Amino acid sequence: MTLGMISSQMTAKAMPADAIVHKWHVFQNIKETRMALGATDRALAILDALLSFHPDTAFYGDSALIVWPSNEQLIRRANGMSPATLRRHLANLVDCGLVIRRDSPNGKRFARKGQGGEVEQAYGFDLSPIVARAEEFKDLAEAVRAEVKAHRLVRERLTICRRDIVKMIETGIEEGVPANWGRVQQTYQSIVSQIPRTAPRQVLEAIAGDLDDLWVQVRDALESFVKTKNLNANESQIERHIQNSKPDFKSESENGFREKNEASGSAAETGNVRSLPKRELPLSMVMDACPNLAWLLKGGGEIRHWRDFLAAAEVARPTLGISPSAWEEARIAMGETQAAITIAAIYQRVDQINSAGGYLRNLTDKAKAGKFSVWPMVMALLRAKLDAAKAAGSGAGEGVVELETAAKVVRTEQRLEISDALRRSLDKPGRGS
């Protein structure tokens, strides 16, 4: 005897006499709430067998609901199990309050019938908790179904959010959207690594919330880039429309001013930048101009891909004493690759620059005004190597390497379509520093 058994008996006595339930409907609710009730699967198989021994499908609150099968009959109808297993799981049904024991004086299960053949007294298992707790089982089953649905939905939410974030990160890297995508990937991996194989819904909800926040950040970065791109495209279209509206009108003062500037070699920086090619610099050319960046790789590694170059620039930034805010502004204004090339050029000539952070902010301001390009910086570094090679002579093996670099400079200049004024400005001492 336990307090739980007494509680079950009290519940059975308190059930209304006019209560009526469908025993198999209640049994279905019990199966769905098995874990919450603490019932075992084998115990439910025995309960199924006990219910089958009662001839009625509808259970009434005022009817006799005691069945008295022997252990052998239960074992056969419960698909076979050992007597010890049967006793253990019968005890589980009693502990869960699903059945009540009605023991005879000698512990046997039987029924006494009257003269008319009706059962007057029975000893066995009382199934009245099926009726008394039917509403409880129904409410509990609905709660379990709701929890299962919520668990499935949060799993689906995690899957969709993970897929979207990965695709957006790939898009941002491929399209050159200015953002620290390496850090975004690290944040994503740290969140995903917390997802356990089996976990309660509350844990998954918390992880899904972190992924939602990251999704919003990545989406905002992509949308801001698209809006900026569309705005620039509209401005350039309006500018072309204004320029083409009067194609034959050119003032003499304007022509004279342009000729004077080009003759003196001091053309406007905006014109110089626009005359440079719009394509990206090759990685090999950047590394020829900025070989010192490779020193920052662990184990003396080699920079073969842009991702290696970006990683090395991330290491160079604190080495140069550049603040994270200055680095972030440069990436937004120039783009991640262009900003990394600028860092590499600064690192290459760090001994000639007093304040790397202030210099980067100055270049960032020029980039915001559309007056900056990394092409002159890289070309100036390559020309410096060419001048050094000429001064040192080309007899030694190192001279051969420098001459190869010089040949690349010559070939690059032949491919560029730039103005004479820009070429003269690139030749000036200290250009790009």
Side-chain angles (χ1 to χ4, degrees), residues 39 206 270 295 331 342 377 417 433:
T270 303
W295 298 349
R331 289 207 330 255
T342 305
M377 298 182 68
E417 297 178 359
S433 61

Side-chain angles (χ1 to χ4, degrees), residues 200-219:
R201 177 182 56 84
Q202 291 77 7
V203 175
L204 298 181
E205 289 281 0
I207 298 175
D210 294 339
L211 281 177
D212 286 340
D213 294 340
L214 182 61
W215 185 95
V216 171
Q217 296 176 13
V218 177
R219 186 73 177 184

Side-chain angles (χ1 to χ4, degrees), residues 50-65:
L50 289 174
L51 291 174
S52 67
F53 280 105
H54 197 286
D56 297 333
T57 300
F59 283 2
Y60 297 89
D62 58 351
S63 61
L65 300 177

Side-chain angles (χ1 to χ4, degrees), residues 66-83:
I66 299 177
V67 292
W68 53 92
S70 64
N71 285 353
E72 290 76 11
Q73 290 174 320
L74 276 175
I75 288 174
R76 285 196 301 268
R77 198 164 290 193
N79 300 324
M81 61 181 67
S82 66

Side-chain angles (χ1 to χ4, degrees), residues 275-337:
S275 63
L276 287 170
K278 300 301 181 183
R279 63 180 181 275
E280 299 290 340
L281 276 164
L283 178 60
S284 58
M285 182 183 297
V286 176
M287 291 310 302
D288 285 339
C290 312
N292 293 353
L293 193 67
W295 298 349
L296 299 175
L297 294 179
K298 294 182 179 180
E302 184 178 357
I303 297 178
R304 296 183 179 180
H305 306 282
W306 280 112
R307 61 175 177 270
D308 301 331
F309 185 85
L310 296 176
E314 288 281 355
V315 178
R317 192 269 307 167
T319 304
L320 294 170
I322 297 174
S323 64
S325 61
W327 173 232
E328 184 67 21
E329 290 180 8
R331 289 207 330 255
I332 294 174
M334 305 177 187
E336 190 169 20
T337 303

Side-chain angles (χ1 to χ4, degrees), residues 10-223:
M10 292 174 60
T11 303
K13 289 181 180 179
M15 67 178 178
D18 58 348
I20 178 173
V21 299
H22 192 295
K23 67 178 181 181
W24 298 120
H25 292 173
V26 179
F27 180 67
Q28 180 63 34
N29 292 334
I30 292 174
K31 286 197 299 182
E32 294 184 8
T33 60
R34 176 178 66 85
M35 299 296 294
L37 294 173
T40 63
D41 53 349
R42 303 299 294 274
L44 292 187
I46 297 173
L47 179 60
D48 188 8
L50 289 174
L51 291 174
S52 67
F53 280 105
H54 197 286
D56 297 333
T57 300
F59 283 2
Y60 297 89
D62 58 351
S63 61
L65 300 177
I66 299 177
V67 292
W68 53 92
S70 64
N71 285 353
E72 290 76 11
Q73 290 174 320
L74 276 175
I75 288 174
R76 285 196 301 268
R77 198 164 290 193
N79 300 324
M81 61 181 67
S82 66
T85 302
L86 176 67
R87 288 192 295 270
R88 185 170 66 253
H89 291 292
L90 279 172
N92 178 253
L93 287 176
V94 175
D95 292 338
C96 294
L98 297 176
V99 297
I100 299 174
R101 289 184 184 272
R102 302 296 184 186
D103 292 335
S104 65
N106 61 0
K108 301 294 184 180
R109 302 177 205 133
F110 61 91
R112 289 195 181 98
K113 296 182 180 181
Q115 296 180 353
E118 296 181 355
V119 176
E120 294 181 347
Q121 192 172 14
Y123 298 99
F125 296 103
D126 189 351
L127 301 178
S128 56
I130 300 297
V131 180
R133 301 179 62 187
E135 288 297 323
E136 175 190 347
F137 296 147
K138 181 181 179 180
D139 295 340
L140 190 56
E142 290 177 354
V144 169
R145 284 193 289 267
E147 181 66 22
V148 170
K149 181 180 179 180
H151 194 277
R152 184 182 71 253
L153 291 177
V154 72
R155 279 285 183 184
E156 294 175 355
R157 176 181 163 197
L158 282 173
T159 301
I160 294 173
C161 196
R162 291 175 63 180
R163 182 186 61 197
D164 290 350
I165 291 176
V166 169
K167 289 184 178 181
M168 287 192 294
I169 291 176
E170 292 176 353
T171 302
I173 295 175
E174 292 175 358
E175 298 294 334
V177 178
N180 191 347
W181 296 113
R183 187 176 303 169
V184 173
Q185 288 179 324
Q186 291 177 358
T187 303
Y188 170 74
Q189 291 296 336
S190 64
I191 296 175
V192 172
S193 62
Q194 300 174 8
I195 302 177
R197 179 168 298 182
T198 56
R201 177 182 56 84
Q202 291 77 7
V203 175
L204 298 181
E205 289 281 0
I207 298 175
D210 294 339
L211 281 177
D212 286 340
D213 294 340
L214 182 61
W215 185 95
V216 171
Q217 296 176 13
V218 177
R219 186 73 177 184
D220 289 345
L222 295 181
E223 289 181 351

Side-chain angles (χ1 to χ4, degrees), residues 236-249 274:
S236 62
Q237 184 177 1
I238 295 172
E239 182 179 357
R240 288 196 302 270
H241 177 72
I242 294 175
Q243 291 176 352
N244 294 334
S245 61
K246 296 180 180 180
D248 298 331
F249 178 78
R274 289 179 179 175

